[in-house]
Amino acid sequence: MNIRFIILFGLFHLSIFSFGSVTFQNDIIIENKISVLDFGALGNGIADDSDAFEKAILYCVKNGKTLYIPKSKKSYNLNKSIRIELVRGDKIKIISNQAIISPKITDTRSAYKLTPFKEHVFISIGRKINSIHTLENPDENIGTEIFISGLIIDGVQQEITKNVDSFDDDIYIAAQLIAEKVSVENCVFTNILGYGLRIHDVLNSTITKCKFKNVGGRGYTQFANKIDMDAFGDAIYHAKVSENANITINDCSFEGKISNKKRSRSALTFEYSIFPYNVSMNNIDIQGYAKCLHIEETAKTIFRLNNVKFKDFNFAIANVLNDSSKIYLNKSIIKVGFNDGNDHGDALAFLNYHSTAQIYVSDSELDFNGRQNAYQSVVGLVKVERSTIKGNNTNFFFADSNTIFSYCKFINFGGSEMSFFSNDPQKKYKIEESKFIGNPYSSVKSKNVTLEINE
């Protein structure tokens, strides 16, 4: 056997088997890595790779290995839910170089069923929980970690009904993750009627450089249809967050799934938490959702939003039943358009429904392009600083809040109708050190509210 043949054989051996400490496949070099191909996955767009994925993930959890899913010319097909249970201290790391997972799932295995619809989960990792409302053996979650990077999850193969009008209809969840620490980065979620990510019981959640395209959906709404099936359709959903948790969402884009002229339910939802925690969002772009940010819980939360862009929504920020949340919006753009008809009233930049949450805006742009004389509830809007309010000569009006505008620009704002109104005459608006461009401040009128303007 000549030397050249020995070298070629050695290279071939390394490329096929990945149980060594270092492997070489598709330009990714990671120590302690195992390929899903070693468990029988084919990624040929035909074979069912479910069992291979489940065996590979289980092996990596039990042996402290990193699972590698190499990109193939076709997709990896999953014909059943991948269900992996974690116990205290379990960790799993899954990496890929943009391999496509394309599920076609009929079974309903998951760690927790959230909605009354027929839920089909592509990948469910974490301990089983029985209730979204109560704490259940939280010690089991200690030390658990889930890390996922570089996957494309495409639900294009799922059979999807045109309209979700019954709890017997099917919805889909790309990944349901229950762990103390969850990290998802450089992933793409696309063509999913249901949820992109559902995360529960987390202490540290980080989602970075991910794209959600054509993800979400919406059932019948109580306002438009007199039936409430508005219980699904979020890109990222956090529930029952742990005490003093930190959630970070950076450099992500979201585009809702528009069906039957309805926007998807919510891009970012936070529900059922009772303990205080913190959320940081940076460089976020959201469009095509009824709610860009939806907070519905009793937890005392701090949200810091920097450089976010919200457009094509019913409500940009919706606070529901949360009296202690504070939201800081900085260097951001909120472009208000038209309601899709499945919520009551006008499209709103800010909505507080049975909520006393507080909102602070700085160095941002509020651009109103809705209908003439639109009602803009700003309950909870405490202060707006160094920001631009574009009225676009629509003469919309702010209503029902106590708000101070400082060092702001009002462009084409005001007109023949009122600009500030309140159902409570004790409310007060104060505008100080601000400029009016296009329309003079003398055109700004108020009704049933105190308005003080100091240019």
Side-chain angles (χ1 to χ4, degrees):
M1 183 180 293
N2 61 38
I3 295 176
R4 182 181 177 186
F5 180 79
I6 293 173
I7 292 173
L8 288 174
F9 178 80
L11 290 174
F12 174 77
H13 183 80
L14 282 173
S15 68
I16 294 297
F17 299 99
S18 57
F19 281 82
S21 60
V22 180
T23 60
F24 300 85
Q25 289 189 14
N26 292 3
D27 298 324
I28 287 186
I29 302 175
I30 299 283
E31 290 190 4
N32 216 21
K33 180 183 68 176
I34 289 179
S35 172
V36 71
L37 302 179
D38 294 310
F39 291 82
L42 297 178
N44 62 7
I46 300 173
D48 178 11
D49 293 316
S50 303
D51 288 339
F53 268 67
E54 196 160 284
K55 290 176 183 177
I57 296 173
L58 279 170
Y59 181 90
C60 290
V61 170
K62 299 306 179 185
N63 294 277
K65 305 291 185 180
T66 294
L67 177 62
Y68 176 47
I69 304 174
K71 183 178 180 179
S72 61
K73 292 183 179 180
K74 300 289 185 177
S75 64
Y76 293 90
N77 287 352
L78 303 182
N79 292 352
K80 69 177 183 181
S81 297
I82 306 302
R83 175 71 184 107
I84 306 295
E85 292 196 31
L86 300 182
V87 299
R88 182 170 179 158
D90 278 349
K91 300 176 175 62
I92 179 60
K93 186 174 185 179
I94 302 171
I95 62 171
S96 180
N97 57 341
Q98 302 298 293
I100 299 173
I101 294 177
S102 187
K104 191 174 183 180
I105 292 173
T106 57
D107 71 343
T108 57
R109 293 193 302 165
S110 70
Y112 178 73
K113 188 176 185 298
L114 180 68
T115 74
F117 297 97
K118 290 169 64 178
E119 295 187 358
H120 306 286
V121 185
F122 301 165
I123 301 174
S124 178
I125 303 176
R127 70 188 181 93
K128 183 178 180 180
I129 58 176
N130 299 304
S131 171
I132 205 72
H133 300 282
T134 59
L135 291 174
E136 302 174 284
N137 303 319
D139 288 351
E140 294 179 3
N141 218 36
I142 294 175
T144 54
E145 296 183 15
I146 301 170
F147 177 91
I148 301 174
S149 176
L151 283 177
I152 298 174
I153 301 181
D154 189 344
V156 69
Q157 289 197 78
Q158 296 294 165
E159 293 185 12
I160 296 175
T161 56
K162 185 175 180 181
N163 298 312
V164 176
D165 55 14
S166 166
F167 289 129
D168 290 328
D169 287 329
D170 301 294
I171 66 170
Y172 304 91
I173 299 93
Q176 178 183 246
L177 309 175
I178 301 176
E180 189 175 64
K181 183 176 181 179
V182 172
S183 297
V184 181
E185 65 178 32
N186 296 310
C187 290
V188 177
F189 301 84
T190 185
N191 301 318
I192 300 167
L193 177 66
Y195 294 81
L197 287 172
R198 285 204 322 215
I199 300 173
H200 307 272
D201 286 17
V202 74
L203 181 63
N204 191 315
S205 174
T206 304
I207 299 143
T208 307
K209 296 180 180 178
C210 291
K211 293 182 179 180
F212 299 80
K213 184 176 176 60
N214 202 26
V215 174
R218 202 170 191 200
Y220 284 157
T221 65
Q222 57 183 340
F223 290 112
N225 311 104
K226 311 303 180 186
I227 304 171
D228 188 5
M229 292 184 178
D230 183 25
F232 79 96
D234 306 344
I236 302 177
Y237 179 95
H238 283 86
K240 205 166 68 170
V241 174
S242 298
E243 187 172 9
N244 297 321
N246 289 297
I247 296 172
T248 302
I249 304 173
N250 288 342
D251 304 306
C252 294
S253 63
F254 304 80
E255 183 178 329
K257 181 178 180 62
I258 308 301
S259 57
N260 196 28
K261 298 181 180 180
K262 294 187 294 186
R263 299 180 176 112
S264 292
R265 191 179 85 135
S266 180
L268 303 165
T269 295
F270 298 83
E271 288 187 331
Y272 300 113
S273 300
I274 60 175
F275 300 114
Y277 63 94
N278 296 282
V279 179
S280 173
M281 301 182 192
N282 301 279
N283 305 319
I284 304 295
D285 196 334
I286 297 175
Q287 61 180 314
Y289 288 88
K291 308 173 189 75
C292 296
L293 172 59
H294 178 205
I295 309 164
E296 185 173 354
E297 56 193 6
T298 59
K300 183 178 181 180
T301 51
I302 304 294
F303 285 79
R304 300 187 186 277
L305 283 61
N306 293 283
N307 192 29
V308 303
K309 296 178 182 178
F310 295 162
K311 67 178 181 180
D312 189 26
F313 53 75
N314 291 357
F315 311 118
I317 299 176
N319 290 295
V320 180
L321 306 176
N322 58 326
D323 289 334
S324 302
S325 295
K326 290 186 178 180
I327 301 167
Y328 297 90
L329 189 72
N330 180 57
K331 296 181 179 178
S332 299
I333 298 175
I334 294 183
K335 190 169 185 177
V336 185
F338 291 92
N339 190 304
D340 65 8
N342 284 275
D343 281 304
H344 182 65
D346 298 297
L348 304 177
F350 310 111
L351 168 69
N352 274 17
Y353 180 75
H354 295 298
S355 169
T356 59
Q358 297 180 351
I359 303 171
Y360 299 82
V361 178
S362 61
D363 301 294
S364 296
E365 180 181 298
L366 306 180
D367 188 354
F368 297 92
N369 282 277
R371 69 176 181 86
Q372 287 283 333
N373 304 320
Y375 176 99
Q376 278 298 321
S377 169
V378 289
V379 176
L381 185 58
V382 177
K383 195 165 187 177
V384 182
E385 297 180 286
R386 302 177 304 280
S387 296
T388 299
I389 295 89
K390 292 184 177 180
N392 296 299
N393 290 315
T394 57
N395 205 171
F396 71 91
F397 60 94
F398 287 117
D400 298 325
S401 190
N402 287 304
T403 308
I404 298 174
F405 296 87
S406 298
Y407 301 97
C408 292
K409 292 181 181 179
F410 291 81
I411 300 176
N412 296 325
F413 176 82
S416 60
E417 302 296 329
M418 62 183 175
S419 299
F420 294 94
F421 169 81
S422 178
N423 291 300
D424 179 0
Q426 301 299 314
K427 300 295 184 182
K428 180 179 180 179
Y429 289 95
K430 183 177 181 180
I431 302 174
E432 58 186 18
E433 303 293 337
S434 298
K435 294 181 179 179
F436 288 81
I437 301 170
N439 294 330
Y441 77 86
S442 59
S443 69
V444 178
K445 300 177 178 62
S446 63
K447 181 179 179 181
N448 206 41
V449 65
T450 300
L451 173 62
E452 180 181 327
I453 300 178
N454 300 312
E455 275 195 304

